[in-house]
Every structure is written in C-alpha cells, then in structure tokens.
Amino acid sequence: MSSPTSGPLTIVAVHGVGHYDHRATAAQVRAAHIPRWTDHLTGGLGVAAARLDLDFAYYAPMLNSGRTVQGQHEPDELSDPVTRELMAAWLEQLGAPRPVTQGALTLPLRHAATWVAERFSLDGRMTQLFIRLFFQEVAAYLRTDDSPARLAARDEVALRIARHRPRVVIAHSLGTVVAYEALHAHPELQVELFLSLGSPLALPRAVFDRLLPRPVGDPPARLGARPDAVARWVNIADPGDPVAIPPRLARSFTGISLDLTDSVHAAFGFHHAKNYLSCAATAATLGPYLGL
C-alpha cells in the first residue's frame, strides 16, 4: 500500500457511456464533471473537496463523430451489425433464453430490453434507452483494432494522465476498457492505483476477446493482465449491475489486488457512476491514500 498523500490526492477520472455533449466544448464538459465526480467521491469518503485534485478525461466526442444528438435516430432498433453482435453476446452471458439472444440480431430493441428489465427489476423504457446508447458507443470503440475512434479515445485518456500525473485513475463502465488499453499502450504513465468500477472488461466475445493487447492462453483459460503502468488494481462491481458481467474480473485478469462487490443498485439509476463513486467499497479503497 502506498503512503498517504501530504497534499490533495491526484486523480484522473475516465467516464463511461452517455457523456457526449455536442453543445459544449471539451473544456466545458471537463469543468462541469470535475466538481460532480469530486462531490460523489468526497461524499462517500466524508472529506472536504480540497482533499482531492481531480481531472476528467473526456473521450466521448471521438466515439460520436458526426452524431449531433446521441440516439436520436433508430428509436427502436439497432441497425449496425457490430452493435447487434455485441448485444447478443451480452445477452447470452446474462443467461437470456435462446429466442431473446437470437432476437437481438433481428428483432426490435424492445424485445431484448423487456427481458433485461424484468430480469433485473429495472424500468423498461430506461433500460431500452441505456442498451441502445451503451452498445452504440461500445461498438464505436471496439469495431476494429486500429479504428481512428479507438486510437483517439485511448490517446485522450493517456494525454490527461500524462498532464495531470495522478496517483489514482478511476474509470467507470466503458471507461475501464479505454483506460485499460491506454495504460497498456503507455507503460511510462505510472499510477499507483487503477480503480475500475462497473467494468465490462471480462465480457466474453463482446469485450474481453477484442481487448488490446489480446488476452493470452487457450480458451477457457485465456487471461488479460494488469498494465505495467499500474502498481495496484482494484475492481468494484455491483452483483446486480447488468453491465459488470461477469463481476469478478480476477477470474479473467492477472494482477488484480482486490475484486470487490458492493450494492449500488437503483432501478432508475442502475450502473450510474455516482453510485459507485460514493459507495463504501470505493471509500475503503481510496481512504488509505488519504490517511483515513
């Protein structure tokens, strides 16, 4: 464990899906989210905002090039084959019956959203909106190994880490995938703690098998690894979060120090970053870095 910091704890936050704002500049988005993430973290920790020095890596524009209002088109279906393929793999991992899994490739989005909402006791309309948004952005990032969107998003995260030189990188949802690849690509970006929240990194076929660098070994024993840039990796997942599937990353990655679960679930706010940031497991992980 690292020693407590004498000044503010330096952090770079890496967001998940749904943060694209076509009306604002990147600087404006960062300025809006820095105090929000700080408030969520300090609320859970029980410390003043001055104890944290947080920067915000905003990569969403790289995944939404040419889209003015996210999700405005295709209100009830996903026409992109890669997006549908990723959703089908996710539904299979969730244990959806075969008609639902197959329907993800052919039927309207509400077909899958209804099953997920019932399975996890979620609001149906919110679930449908979230699924569309999530898999559109995940597909935009993972479509090909060397797509401009993937490289640009990864470089943006690496740039914020290089500029801010944080002790801690906190990533949520799709942000854990972008941060994982950025830290692997830049071993010179030494951070003491990588804290992944609500991560889909281990999701077979949809995410895990598309990661760079590729997991090594033969299935089913293939393993990813903690980036060399990271001294300590802690993962936190809500067992009721349908995105953090499977929740135990240590079964799929070497070098994870702690693989924790915490209940942050809310029917109208499932998978939200604020719930993870303010939870007890996050506070317990960050507390020692603040001398708590």
Side-chain angles (χ1 to χ4, degrees):
M1 172 63 68
S2 177
S3 60
T5 181
S6 56
L9 178 62
T10 51
I11 298 171
V12 164
V14 187
H15 66 79
V17 301
H19 282 71
Y20 178 54
D21 187 348
H22 70 282
R23 302 160 299 181
T25 65
Q28 289 171 333
V29 171
R30 284 195 295 270
H33 283 288
I34 286 171
R36 293 172 188 167
W37 279 55
T38 299
D39 286 348
H40 298 321
L41 287 168
T42 55
L45 285 161
V47 300
R51 297 295 308 276
L52 304 182
D53 177 11
L54 188 141
D55 192 15
F56 190 80
Y58 178 53
Y59 64 86
M62 291 74 177
L63 305 186
N64 290 275
S65 178
R67 184 180 300 166
T68 55
V69 181
Q70 201 171 59
Q72 178 177 333
H73 62 295
E74 300 176 355
D76 195 36
E77 60 184 68
L78 298 172
S79 61
D80 174 56
V82 175
T83 305
R84 295 200 309 267
E85 180 184 345
L86 298 182
M87 187 173 71
W90 171 66
L91 289 167
E92 182 179 343
Q93 186 65 29
L94 288 178
R98 188 171 180 82
V100 175
T101 320
Q102 291 179 323
L105 299 174
T106 57
L107 297 178
L109 173 59
R110 65 176 180 271
H111 183 69
T114 298
W115 182 86
V116 175
E118 292 177 353
R119 164 73 170 76
F120 288 91
S121 301
L122 304 174
D123 175 78
R125 180 177 175 275
M126 294 298 296
T127 302
Q128 181 173 329
L129 291 171
F130 175 80
I131 291 174
R132 183 175 68 247
L133 175 61
F134 181 81
F135 284 102
Q136 283 176 339
E137 293 202 3
V138 171
Y141 184 77
L142 293 174
R143 186 171 304 276
T144 63
D145 286 356
D146 57 355
S147 71
R150 186 174 192 161
L151 296 176
R154 193 174 70 192
D155 287 348
E156 175 61 22
V157 171
L159 175 64
R160 301 315 301 184
I161 297 173
R163 286 183 176 178
H164 201 63
R165 291 294 174 184
R167 297 181 67 192
V168 177
V169 171
I170 301 177
H172 173 246
S173 187
L174 177 58
T176 66
V177 180
V178 184
Y180 174 88
E181 293 194 345
L183 290 165
H184 264 296
H186 295 275
E188 74 279 7
L189 299 178
Q190 295 293 307
V191 298
E192 295 180 33
L193 172 66
F194 176 37
L195 177 57
S196 53
L197 307 174
S199 176
L201 272 164
L203 182 60
R205 291 175 32 229
V207 177
F208 183 71
D209 298 299
R210 298 170 184 257
L211 290 173
L212 296 175
R214 291 281 192 266
V216 298
D218 297 323
R222 300 183 71 196
L223 291 171
R226 184 187 70 223
D228 289 340
V230 174
R232 185 168 181 255
W233 182 0
V234 174
N235 179 63
I236 300 173
D238 181 345
D241 183 348
V243 174
I245 300 294
R248 294 289 187 181
L249 289 190
R251 298 172 182 171
S252 301
F253 294 86
T254 61
I256 294 181
S257 300
L258 290 173
D259 208 358
L260 306 174
T261 58
D262 200 345
S263 180
V264 302
H265 180 76
F268 292 93
F270 71 95
H271 190 61
H272 277 190
K274 64 181 180 180
N275 299 334
Y276 276 105
L277 294 169
S278 59
C279 76
T282 295
T285 301
L286 295 178
Y289 292 83
L290 289 163
L292 303 180

